[in-house]
Amino acid sequence: MSRLVVLSLGQGNLRDGFATVTAQVGEASNPYHMKITASLPAAPKILELYQNWQALYYAFYQRLSCWRNSPETDDYLEISEVGLTHVSEVDIVKLSQKLSNGLNTWLDSREFRKIDRQLRTQLKPSDEIRFIIETNDALLRHLPWHLWEFFEDYPYGEVALSAAEYQNSNKLPINYRKFQLRILAIFGNAQGIDISHDRIFLEKFTHRAEIKFLVEPNLRDLNDHLWQEGWDILFFAGHSSSQEKGILQINPTDKISLEKLKYALKQAMGRGLKLAIFNSCDGLGLAQQLEDLNIPQAIVMREAVPDAIAQQFLRYFITEFSSGKSLYVAVRSARERLQALEKDYPCATWLPVIFQNPAESSMVWLQDGVRIDWEDMVSSPKLTPSFNLRGMQPEMRSPFATQVLSQPIHVHQNVLPPYPSGSVPLDSPYYIENTVVGAQVYREITKPGALIRIKAPMEMGKTSLLSRILEYASCIGYRTIDLNFEEQIDREILSDLNRFLRWLCANISRQLQIEPRLDDYWDEDIGSKVSCSLYLRNYVLEQIDSPVVLALDEVNQIFEHPQVAKEFLPLLRSWYEEAKRRPIWQKLRLIVVHSTEVYVPLQLHQSPFNVGLPIQLQSFSFEQVMQLALRYGLCWKDGSEVELLMDASGGHPALVHLALYHLSQQQLTLTQLLQSASTPTSIYYHHLQRHWATLEAQPELASALQTVINATESVQLESVVAYKLSSMGLIKLDNNKATPSCQLYREYFQSKLSICRKTKCQ
């Protein structure tokens, strides 16, 4: 479960204490369940320990690094050279432990213990916890709150900082929805540091996101790009510092504060900017300025950061975040992985920190079905920085002057393909998206009361598309329910309308993590359909603030139970129609997915459910097969191999995936695959046998198909027969005239039907 804790420190400081400290506990969708009030005593010793630690920290890295100190940085930190000329790793580790002990003693004080104890009664170790500390005190923001022993018992909790006052950023009206994530990556002055590693890493990411690289831009260029529509993430690598305000050195001559970009940043946030990452030094001043603009989230470094640590944090964070983990879990994991480097870079795990606007939801990575094997990149010797094991010159990302980035470097990456079976996982690089269909469904799901109907023969990618729609819906803050009528429901339940509707309502409640209360709304006198509608409208939708997406997969299973189907399908239609009249039903977005093969045994000649946006999935195009072949590591440069595979398979997604998998494993050549395609030794044998079993049970379809495959031109078929063969995917229709979908079907069924005719199995 995802939980939210907001700890407000109120007025006070470490010298005088905090008279009123409050903690509120809730969930992301329902803050807050509980509020606890306590206090914190004065702790001037922590202030002294932190100031000593900071002086030691900077002295340690100044001694080792090629970092050029500026007078303004020295004045700000007030680092004395006396007594700090022989700082060792042991010294800084000892002082770090003292600061950690002091912080935990303070947070275990009698005055505060009530909050600690009450939080533990509300939270579970398995919970993902966004733990936000509200304070405007600059010194409190520097403290290593993650060292609080509380977090040792909650491995999926991470701390973030927040201003004491906040509000939503002003969203501009946008008449489109984008699905591909957009990143504006700024590479500032790089003298003395190596930010090319950040660039290399992000370059490998360009097929998963649209990334604009700005290298040492001037202020006008940077301002213009921020005004462009639709950035999701703002990334900066280079030199920065915090004095009275955060300072970025965007090129060798220009240092700017974010105040210079105030209006551009507001515009970017209004158009959807959700996260700013400053992979640079001393970012608390930057975070303060971003807070003043009400940015949803930012990740900065608390202190000056060694260049090697900045490089590794970026890799670790993107690895975790892009895999589907929440931003908080991803930051904690990335931060803790830096511990392996602390022998050479003490307190590396102290540096990254999240700033959160509590009025905004936490960003979720937009999964577009393309995955990079980030771990390979993290461990690649070409990308791993050369850590100084002898303590020589670690580079620091601090505010000074210039290095030209090299051209993009494309690092080869090997990804072992899994055997293609079932739906394609969200993080798989082997998912090929139909951008037209994608744009259509992602736009449709945002419409009040939307209903999307996805239909296609088996193995065409329906469930894979469904999972991506649900992922997108989650990304934009919708609640989702995913029910599969083939995998999640007993057949005896499907045959009884009352049991089926109660099963539906119970599962909706559980997936939304609300208590099922069916008996409070079920009334046999008004019937199960009305009871079900009342339950959804008056109980479920009333208490959920965001839109709710109800996805029903394999609905074809219910078509086999006509008595239930003829009641349930009109019920879905009624919810869709009610949304046109009643605002509460507009929260509900429906997705209905079914296979068209069901039309054959049920003697249907049209879809049994015909409202909403229909999505009929199609075969792969030439370009999509070429793209997929490249992802499988096949170097088909002139396209002739793609043409041969297209002719054989018709671009059928399952057939193409299967062929490319076996070819990538070098188990056979393309020539061998095509020669054996229609034989019992074929990789397609089970696919073909499934269709053959259907045709054996439907002789009129077998006869019609035989006419089509034996003809040299397209054939006019009786409409119901044509509809059913097309629903199986065996023929293509053009102006009601049929041709075989692919050469594979022509060869296989020509042989099978010829044998049957000779043996009189027709």
Side-chain angles (χ1 to χ4, degrees), residues 100-367:
S100 175
N101 292 341
L103 180 66
N104 277 290
T105 299
W106 183 49
L107 294 173
D108 192 41
S109 60
R110 176 180 53 80
E111 297 90 334
F112 186 73
R113 204 168 294 158
K114 174 184 176 183
I115 286 180
D116 183 287
R117 301 298 183 267
Q118 288 293 322
L119 288 179
R120 292 177 185 275
T121 65
Q122 296 295 311
L123 303 172
K124 300 176 182 178
S126 59
D127 288 341
E128 288 192 10
I129 305 170
R130 291 191 294 149
F131 198 110
I132 302 172
I133 297 176
E134 291 182 356
T135 179
N136 292 331
D137 189 291
L139 284 169
L140 288 175
R141 292 181 164 205
H142 275 280
L143 294 181
W145 290 95
H146 66 280
L147 296 179
W148 183 12
E149 290 175 353
F150 172 88
F151 291 106
E152 292 183 8
D153 297 327
Y154 298 93
Y156 304 106
E158 177 69 346
V159 68
L161 300 174
S162 165
E165 296 180 354
Y166 43 81
Q167 64 183 42
N168 290 108
S169 56
N170 293 322
K171 302 295 190 299
L172 300 175
I174 299 174
N175 59 6
Y176 71 94
R177 285 282 184 182
K178 61 183 182 299
F179 187 53
Q180 190 176 43
L181 192 140
R182 302 186 74 211
I183 301 174
L184 180 61
I186 305 161
F187 294 87
N189 177 30
Q191 181 176 354
I193 61 176
D194 184 4
I195 57 178
S196 65
H197 284 292
D198 298 35
R199 172 74 179 263
I200 292 168
F201 183 76
L202 291 177
E203 283 284 356
K204 292 296 296 179
F205 184 49
T206 52
H207 73 288
R208 274 216 60 189
E210 180 184 342
I211 307 178
K212 176 65 179 178
F213 294 94
L214 294 182
V215 180
E216 297 186 348
N218 58 40
L219 178 58
R220 181 174 180 177
D221 192 30
L222 177 54
N223 184 78
D224 288 346
H225 278 86
L226 283 170
W227 272 84
Q228 294 178 8
E229 289 188 352
W231 303 115
D232 296 292
I233 297 176
L234 172 66
F235 173 82
F236 176 83
H239 292 297
S240 68
S241 67
S242 292
Q243 299 167 42
E244 292 182 359
K245 60 181 69 174
I247 300 294
L248 297 177
Q249 189 157 16
I250 59 174
N251 60 51
T253 58
D254 294 330
K255 297 178 184 178
I256 66 167
S257 75
L258 294 184
E259 180 69 23
K260 298 284 188 181
L261 296 168
K262 174 181 177 180
Y263 298 115
L265 286 168
K266 282 188 173 182
Q267 183 76 7
M269 284 184 276
R271 296 183 184 277
L273 180 65
K274 304 173 187 68
L275 172 66
I277 304 172
F278 288 89
N279 212 24
S280 56
C281 278
D282 193 18
L284 293 183
L286 298 169
Q288 172 66 57
Q289 291 175 293
L290 291 168
E291 279 183 324
D292 293 343
L293 299 174
N294 297 307
I295 193 168
Q297 288 170 129
I299 300 172
V300 302
M301 299 292 177
R302 275 194 177 91
E303 313 286 350
V305 57
D307 194 52
I309 297 303
Q311 293 167 2
Q312 289 300 90
F313 174 75
L314 175 64
R315 292 170 174 79
Y316 293 151
F317 170 68
I318 295 295
T319 299
E320 301 293 339
F321 194 32
S322 66
S323 72
K325 293 183 179 178
S326 71
L327 184 137
Y328 280 68
V329 171
V331 168
R332 174 161 180 170
S333 177
R335 184 175 54 73
E336 291 181 342
R337 289 185 68 174
L338 296 175
Q339 186 177 36
L341 309 178
E342 287 192 331
K343 182 180 185 302
D344 303 291
Y345 303 101
C347 300
T349 56
W350 292 30
L351 301 178
V353 60
I354 303 169
F355 277 77
Q356 173 73 51
N357 180 345
E360 300 278 356
S361 58
S362 182
M363 181 183 177
V364 178
W365 189 266
L366 292 173
Q367 298 288 343

Side-chain angles (χ1 to χ4, degrees), residues 692 695-696 698-707 725 753 762:
W692 178 241
L695 292 173
E696 281 191 305
Q698 300 282 330
E700 74 283 3
L701 297 185
S703 178
L705 181 61
Q706 186 173 31
T707 301
L725 287 175
L753 291 168
Q762 292 183 338

Side-chain angles (χ1 to χ4, degrees), residues 466-487:
L466 174 62
S467 64
R468 283 153 181 83
I469 302 173
L470 292 176
E471 179 69 14
Y472 174 71
S474 295
C475 290
I476 59 176
Y478 294 2
R479 302 291 296 277
T480 62
I481 305 114
D482 185 8
L483 298 176
N484 187 303
F485 286 0
E486 184 174 48
E487 299 175 356

